[in-house]
Amino acid sequence: MINTVVLAGSDKNKSGTPYECKALIKIGEKYLIEYVLDAVCSSKHISRRVVVGPLKLKEFIISRYPQVEFVEEDTSIMRNAKKAIEFLNDDKKILFLTADLPFITAEAIDHFIEESIKSGADICYPIVEKSINDEKYPQMKRTYGTVKEGTFTGGNAIIITPSVFEKCYSLAEKLVEKRKNPIAMARLIGPTILLLFLTKRLSIQKVEKRVSKVFKVKAKAIISTYPELGQDVDKDSDLVVAKFYLEKKR
């Protein structure tokens, strides 16, 4: 069993964001965060569930999801994660998810957790091959990076051992800021990684080794066949497309 934190921050200090609180955008028959919490609450591997977000979310969470705990947000994703870890005060691994994943399922979450636990890694990050995304959600726009094994996008999830969080904090904060820019992320990890990425000679294993060395932890990329882990809502156009797919499922 592991714990889960849903990051539902308002991005109140991020200029240019079109939403004050994406978690409370109505999409289809439910609010965005409900899709995530329904999946999280149905997972067979999750012990405690925590939402970090603005106070306006608190009453909503308490009234609809009594099994979910609430923590008021700080000023950034990383600070929100840190606050949640301190609140949980537990050495169990933590699954972090964003609150804007309208297609997420318990099955996708459980597969990621199971593969992460098998790996024995301190940090696990899901990646999904482009053809899988394109087959199921061809109209959803994603950021991709190409390595030897193929072209992949990252999921909006990560599993981490709480005890390694502090030593990863500084660089992780920079990587989060650059998460939509694969070249900038490669540059932060190191010049060799950047060169290999630009010349299409980079492998998943080399990235894992470099990240493990930089963070001084064991890091693992989990290849997932569940594109639902990465289909987030960033723009108005994403909302339109997400509504289209949800209507098709009904």
Side-chain angles (χ1 to χ4, degrees), residues 196-234:
L196 290 171
F197 177 73
L198 292 174
T199 56
K200 301 189 186 303
R201 291 184 292 126
L202 185 62
S203 69
I204 292 172
Q205 186 178 44
K206 284 181 180 176
V207 175
E208 291 172 340
K209 285 184 177 180
R210 179 59 184 169
V211 170
S212 297
K213 183 177 180 180
V214 169
F215 284 120
K216 297 180 174 60
V217 298
K218 182 180 179 182
K220 182 71 177 175
I222 305 295
I223 298 177
S224 176
T225 55
Y226 294 91
E228 293 81 6
L229 283 169
Q231 305 298 333
D232 60 335
V233 174
D234 273 340

Side-chain angles (χ1 to χ4, degrees), residues 151-170:
T151 299
F152 294 86
T153 187
N156 281 43
I158 192 168
I159 289 176
I160 188 167
T161 302
S163 60
V164 308
F165 183 79
E166 281 298 332
K167 62 175 154 181
C168 299
Y169 189 95
S170 181

Side-chain angles (χ1 to χ4, degrees), residues 51-69:
V51 170
V52 184
L55 273 178
K56 66 170 63 179
L57 262 180
K58 185 175 183 179
E59 185 177 340
F60 177 87
I61 298 300
I62 291 172
S63 63
R64 301 201 189 194
Y65 296 91
Q67 70 273 55
V68 177
E69 301 168 90

Side-chain angles (χ1 to χ4, degrees), residues 17-102:
T17 180
Y19 314 117
E20 183 182 353
C21 183
K22 281 198 291 182
L24 289 178
I25 292 175
K26 197 76 175 286
I27 179 169
E29 298 179 339
K30 298 189 285 189
Y31 295 100
L32 261 178
I33 195 169
E34 289 186 271
Y35 293 101
V36 179
L37 290 179
D38 287 347
V40 163
C41 290
S42 298
S43 167
K44 59 188 177 183
H45 297 305
I46 293 173
S47 178
R48 292 172 66 187
R49 306 159 184 87
V50 176
V51 170
V52 184
L55 273 178
K56 66 170 63 179
L57 262 180
K58 185 175 183 179
E59 185 177 340
F60 177 87
I61 298 300
I62 291 172
S63 63
R64 301 201 189 194
Y65 296 91
Q67 70 273 55
V68 177
E69 301 168 90
F70 179 83
V71 174
E72 186 180 359
E73 67 177 342
D74 206 310
T75 56
S76 71
I77 292 176
M78 290 300 294
R79 289 182 181 180
N80 288 348
K82 182 177 182 179
K83 201 170 181 180
I85 289 173
E86 291 170 349
F87 174 81
L88 284 164
N89 191 27
D90 193 339
D91 60 2
K92 288 188 183 74
K93 290 179 182 293
I94 300 174
L95 165 66
F96 286 95
L97 290 165
T98 58
D100 59 346
L101 300 170

